[in-house]
Amino acid sequence: MMEPVPAMYLQNVQHMLPPQPQAPPAASDACLTIVHSLMCHRQGAVHGGEDETFAKRAIESLVKKLKEKRDELDALIIAVTMSGRRPSKCVTIQRTLDGRLQVAGKKGFPHVIYARLWRWPDLHKNELKHISVCQYAFDLKCDLVCVNPYHYERVISPAPPSRLVKDEFVHDCIQVEGESGTHTVERKTGGWDSGYGCNSSLPTVEHLNKNFWDPPSILQHSSMEQRPPSPILRGQLISPEHWCSVQYFELDHKVGETFKVIAQYREVKIDGYVNPSEPNRFCLGQLSNVHRTEASEKARLHVGKGVKLTLSGEGDVWLECQSQHPVFVQSQYLDKEAKREPGDAVHKIFPGTHLKVFDLHDCYDTIKNKAQKAQSAARAQALAVSGNPEAAHAALQVVGPKAINPESGTLTRDGMAQINAAANIGVDDLRRMCILRLSFVKGWGPDYHRVNIKYTPCWIEIQLHRALQLLDHVLQWTQMYEAGQDH
């Protein structure tokens, strides 16, 4: 007869067996249980630190939003815990006005946030394409957005192997014949987003056309529509004495006096040195700050030769990164070139890169259009509040026919929201279009943990005087038009 096995041996054997997989939670379970399970399946997980905190808050936020939609919460749990091996339905949240989701002080596109958490930690926002069964994909522009990470595929555009730049930016260099010889000029040939780098050399200020009103032909190569070299409001406005002002900041503290560049100097250098030997050179190294932090002190050591800004034509601006470290630029012109929403991106400029960062004609056209749209929206808004049937007709000038209910002829809820958004465009919104912001060494924005430039250790703001002058002209014209309408 076989002797019974002692209990101590059974315990030892049990410890040697592999752990049995736990069943995934259900939508009816407690939020904490579901969050813990989903946290265990995130990719590129590192225990502790800011990334884990962000991931936990993002997952907690999503689970709470889905608690009332248990079928979708179950679909999310199945998709994540089974790594997409079983088909699952759309998992939806409400689309915000700007399309982005804010979690723990960071803003990002929701489908990208959760795809990074559970599939591709190094994912870039432009690399996702939805699968055919997804009914609420982000790019379908529905009121709901699907955040099921297995309803998207990753699409990566190959970059040239010879350059260490981001995959999102691919461009080449072309040779252009000019009066002063042959020069190398950048030309965009592919989609580009937030990284720029090409060891190209553009003509210096000596090669620029001496006629202030006529942009040099050598700088006209751009993917933007070619514009005639005619000046804006020539003869109506005298050009400002200074073409730009530069202010230097460390975190949210302005340091030193504003540096103004007179119009006769068509370029300005901003560097980290201490000896301003030229009137168009702004040396940040000479500026003292009693509140300077250690982070600012370290970042200032890497500014080096900094950047050079060159005025082209009537008011276009080109930037050259002369530092050995990248700089980060907020530019609505670069946003438009990258087919991004204005203010949506911060663009990383690599050392040695020379590119256009501001187009005066484009800025002026956009300011005029936005001011006119805001004016029309305010009128439609007032008519709608008073119940005037002319409100829908006035709204057509702002939002188009899709915002009108075809049966009742009145504004839809979405149409009214668009009207309110257009009417709320203020002077500060237009003024930001006339300003460039640039940080040295450290980036900020949706792709970085610093959500605002005021969290970067050292940065500059460049106010473009000709653009601000044209903005004042547009605002004066708008006020005169409104006064005429009142009478």
Side-chain angles (χ1 to χ4, degrees), residues 113-132:
I113 289 175
Y114 295 108
R116 282 175 179 164
L117 283 179
W118 288 309
R119 296 195 70 181
W120 307 287
D122 60 341
L123 175 73
H124 193 272
K125 64 186 74 174
N126 291 336
E127 294 177 349
L128 286 182
K129 177 183 177 183
H130 69 276
I131 62 176
S132 58

Side-chain angles (χ1 to χ4, degrees), residues 238-244 260-265 465 469:
I238 300 175
S239 298
E241 179 184 359
H242 301 90
W243 71 267
C244 78
K260 295 183 178 181
V261 185
I262 59 176
Q264 74 181 75
Y265 294 103
H465 291 194
Q469 182 187 43

Side-chain angles (χ1 to χ4, degrees), residues 330 332 427-436 471:
Q330 190 175 57
Q332 294 206 16
V427 176
D428 288 342
D429 299 307
L430 299 177
R431 193 173 182 276
R432 276 192 288 270
M433 300 179 60
C434 309
I435 292 173
L436 299 171
L471 170 60

Side-chain angles (χ1 to χ4, degrees), residues 135-186:
Q135 299 178 342
Y136 298 97
F138 180 83
D139 52 342
L140 295 181
K141 306 294 184 183
C142 302
D143 291 338
L144 298 175
V145 178
C146 178
V147 294
N148 186 334
Y150 292 94
H151 275 203
Y152 295 90
E153 297 173 340
R154 188 176 188 182
V155 180
I156 303 178
S157 301
S162 59
R163 295 205 330 272
L164 297 177
V165 300
K166 284 190 174 182
D167 291 339
E168 308 91 64
F169 178 50
V170 181
H171 68 282
D172 62 2
C173 297
I174 58 174
Q175 296 294 324
V176 180
E177 293 291 334
E179 294 180 358
S180 304
T182 303
H183 307 282
T184 306
V185 182
E186 290 186 349

Side-chain angles (χ1 to χ4, degrees), residues 182-259:
T182 303
H183 307 282
T184 306
V185 182
E186 290 186 349
R187 178 182 64 187
K188 270 68 71 176
T189 58
W192 51 298
D193 178 60
S194 59
Y196 306 86
C198 179
N199 293 325
S200 60
S201 58
L202 285 171
T204 62
V205 68
E206 287 80 9
H207 297 137
L208 296 176
N209 194 323
K210 299 304 179 182
N211 186 344
F212 180 84
W213 298 107
D214 298 325
S217 61
I218 195 168
L219 298 179
Q220 294 298 305
H221 293 268
S222 170
S223 61
M224 297 291 287
E225 179 183 353
Q226 295 298 310
R227 298 181 180 277
S230 59
I232 303 171
L233 301 174
R234 184 174 186 176
Q236 298 183 39
L237 295 174
I238 300 175
S239 298
E241 179 184 359
H242 301 90
W243 71 267
C244 78
S245 296
V246 184
Q247 295 180 331
Y248 171 63
F249 296 83
E250 293 177 5
L251 301 176
D252 61 348
H253 183 72
K254 183 177 181 292
V255 179
E257 299 294 326
T258 300
F259 186 84

Side-chain angles (χ1 to χ4, degrees), residues 306-355:
V307 295
K308 180 174 73 173
L309 298 172
T310 302
L311 176 68
S312 169
E314 185 181 355
D316 296 351
V317 179
W318 290 69
L319 179 144
E320 181 181 357
C321 179
Q322 298 183 327
S323 173
Q324 294 184 351
H325 299 271
V327 295
F328 301 82
V329 178
Q330 190 175 57
S331 157
Q332 294 206 16
Y333 172 77
L334 293 181
D335 293 343
K336 189 170 183 178
E337 284 273 69
K339 297 179 172 59
R340 301 285 295 275
E341 289 296 320
D344 179 52
V346 174
H347 305 269
K348 186 175 184 178
I349 314 297
F350 290 92
T353 303
H354 194 165
L355 80 171

Side-chain angles (χ1 to χ4, degrees), residues 67-87:
K67 259 302 183 179
E68 301 301 320
K69 299 188 285 186
R70 294 197 171 187
D71 56 335
E72 294 188 18
L73 182 52
D74 276 326
L76 175 68
I77 294 169
I78 291 171
V80 173
T81 58
M82 299 193 67
S83 301
R85 291 190 296 272
R86 183 188 297 180

Side-chain angles (χ1 to χ4, degrees), residues 271-327:
D271 58 42
Y273 302 124
V274 297
N275 183 23
S277 56
E278 304 165 7
N280 60 333
R281 180 181 170 192
F282 188 19
C283 293
L284 306 181
Q286 65 175 338
L287 302 177
S288 60
N289 177 14
V290 294
H291 303 291
R292 180 165 294 152
T293 64
E294 183 180 357
S296 296
E297 193 70 61
K298 289 181 178 179
R300 283 165 53 85
L301 295 175
H302 299 290
V303 173
K305 294 183 178 180
V307 295
K308 180 174 73 173
L309 298 172
T310 302
L311 176 68
S312 169
E314 185 181 355
D316 296 351
V317 179
W318 290 69
L319 179 144
E320 181 181 357
C321 179
Q322 298 183 327
S323 173
Q324 294 184 351
H325 299 271
V327 295

